[in-house]
């Protein structure tokens, strides 16, 4: 029972059935009482019409004619079914048909009721104490001093109303059965679509990542749930694929430096070396370890920024100063390759964002521009505020990037074939992109192989 109570199908069916039952019972009750009151109204009309006939007879012929007529009339009916009584306003009975089965039918109260009534008659339903029968009693004047009281048993009407009541009861019962069944059917159909979502989730849990919710468009809300679920699954699958790729890349990129460190260590054991050789090997090991540490730290920085664990700071600083300092730092490296490093910056370039992240963006792009530009080339760093947009360009006359490589260079660990000879792990541009986007900027690249590349950043200020 507890399990059943928890079932959505059961609850929806019950809700539907209860609502339907309450509403239809209410509807039928109102209908029944309306029929009941109309029946009584009609009965009163008939009795009043009859009283009116006696009133006319009284006015035109006289009391004796009325008395004769009511006795004639009473002979046609069973005395239990109908009675006639004529009395005056003091409650003195002038004549009456056989009322032995009617008990004590009130006159005085009726007289005062009649005085107040504006319909010209007083009518009420009584229950006869002896037989428990119901009857309608109508009292109306037939002359200024006399009243006629007609009583009519309700039995026939009651029988007819009872048939009607029974009919309604059967009808309500049938309707409730139909309501429960159709409620159950409706809920079942809706939940069938829901269970498709559940089944899809179960299949995915069991490793079938390709599985999607089959949408049949029967119910709008469930269709939306299924579509959203599928979009979520697509994203999860993409995420899993990119994590898989990252794992492969990490494994690959960790293996090389580790293999080199192992090689160095092996060489140390195999042969006797001079103290200088040992020092050199230690230096190589430190360098390899630095590469590894750098790689791991960059990976963590990218992941943290992408996951929003560390949000970009909001601080004001001058970009011209930041970029000039970065270029001064790379001056000696550029000089070593006879690369001309030009700066085209305004005197001041106020910026609001994360200073540390901006430093890493600028140094990475500058480092790449110098790294991938052969001897005697040129690197130009320019920045300008162009009506609400801050644009920064890193332009070089380097080896360029092929059309095939361009869409991939911002992926983690992606390195173009031609750059394998250079140091690096392929994380720089990925970090640049993540950091740029964390400050609501964007990065674009244009490149022509063997001619050069331009990396353009733009931020709204
Ligand atoms: P890396 O550590 O290899 O430099 P990056 O993520 O910084 O990694 O760059 C990814 C790849 O994009 C590089 O391996 C290189 O092939 C290409 N690349 C980046 N900047 C330039 C550039 N200025 N000119 C030519 N190729 C570039």
């Amino acid at each position: 029972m507890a399990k059943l109570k928890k079932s959505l199908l059961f609850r929806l069916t019950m809700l539907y059935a209860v609502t339907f039952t309450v509403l239809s019972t209410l509807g039928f009750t109102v209908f029944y009482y309306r029929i009941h009151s109309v029946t009584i109204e009609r009965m009163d009309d008939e009795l009043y019409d009859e009283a009116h006939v006696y009133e006319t007879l009284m006015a035109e012929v006289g009391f004796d004619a009325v008395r004769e007529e009511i006795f004639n009339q009473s002979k046609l009916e069973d005395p239990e079914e109908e009675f006639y009584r004529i009395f005056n306003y003091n409650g003195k009975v002038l004549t009456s048909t056989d009322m032995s089965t009617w008990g004590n039918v009130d006159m005085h109260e009726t007289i005062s009721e009649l005085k107040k009534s504006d319909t010209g008659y007083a009518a009420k339903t009584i229950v006869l104490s002896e037989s428990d029968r119901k009857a309608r009693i109508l009292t109306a004047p037939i002359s200024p001093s006399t009243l006629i009281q007609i009583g009519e048993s309700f039995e026939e009407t009651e029988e007819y109303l009872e048939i009607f009541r029974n009919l309604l009861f059967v009808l309500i019962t049938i309707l409730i059965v139909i309501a429960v069944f159709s409620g159950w059917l409706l809920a079942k159909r809706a939940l069938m679509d829901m269970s498709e979502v559940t089944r899809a989730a179960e299949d995915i849990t069991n490793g079938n990542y390709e599985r999607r919710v089959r949408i049949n468009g029967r119910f709008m809300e469930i269709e939306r749930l299924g579509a959203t679920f599928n979009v979520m699954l697509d994203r999860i699958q993409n995420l899993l694929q990119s994590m898989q790729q990252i794992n492969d890349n990490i494994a690959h990129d960790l293996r090389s430096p580790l293999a080199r460190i192992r090689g160095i260590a092996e060489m140390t054991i195999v042969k006797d070396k001079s103290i200088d050789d040992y020092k050199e090997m230690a230096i190589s090991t430190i360098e390899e370890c630095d590469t590894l540490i750098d790689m791991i730290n960059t990976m963590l920085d990218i992941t943290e920024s992408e996951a929003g664990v560390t949000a970009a700071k909001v601080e004001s600083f001058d970009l011209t100063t930041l970029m000039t300092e970065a270029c001064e730092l790379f001056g000696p490296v550029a000089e070593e390759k006879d690369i001309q490093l030009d700066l085209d910056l305004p005197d001041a370039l106020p910026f609001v964002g994360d200073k540390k992240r901006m430093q890493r963006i600028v140094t990475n792009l500058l480092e790449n521009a110098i790294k991938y530009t052969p001897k005697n080339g040129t690197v130009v760093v320019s920045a300008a505020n162009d009506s609400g947009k801050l644009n920064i360009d890193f332009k070089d006359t380097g080896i360029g990037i092929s059309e095939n490589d361009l869409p991939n260079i911002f992926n983690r660990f992606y390195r173009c074939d031609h750059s394998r000879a250079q140091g690096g792990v392929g994380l720089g541009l990925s970090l640049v992109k993540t950091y740029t986007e964390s400050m609501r900027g964007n990065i674009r690249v244009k490149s022509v192989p063997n001619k050069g590349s331009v990396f353009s950043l733009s931020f709204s200020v």
Side-chain angles (χ1 to χ4, degrees), residues 364-365 368-369 371-372 396 399-401 409 411 414-416 418-419 423-430 453 455:
N364 266 300
L365 291 174
N368 277 355
K371 190 158 76 174
Y372 299 113
D396 64 57
I399 56 173
I401 304 159
I409 54 166
N411 292 347
Y414 190 84
R415 306 199 71 208
C416 309
H418 62 234
S419 55
V425 289
L427 284 175
L429 286 182
S430 182
S453 316
F455 284 84

Side-chain angles (χ1 to χ4, degrees), residues 233-246:
L233 290 177
D234 285 343
R235 289 195 63 179
I236 291 176
Q237 202 181 8
N238 285 343
L239 209 72
L240 281 176
Q241 274 167 359
S242 79
M243 271 172 68
Q244 183 64 46
Q245 199 196 339
I246 290 166

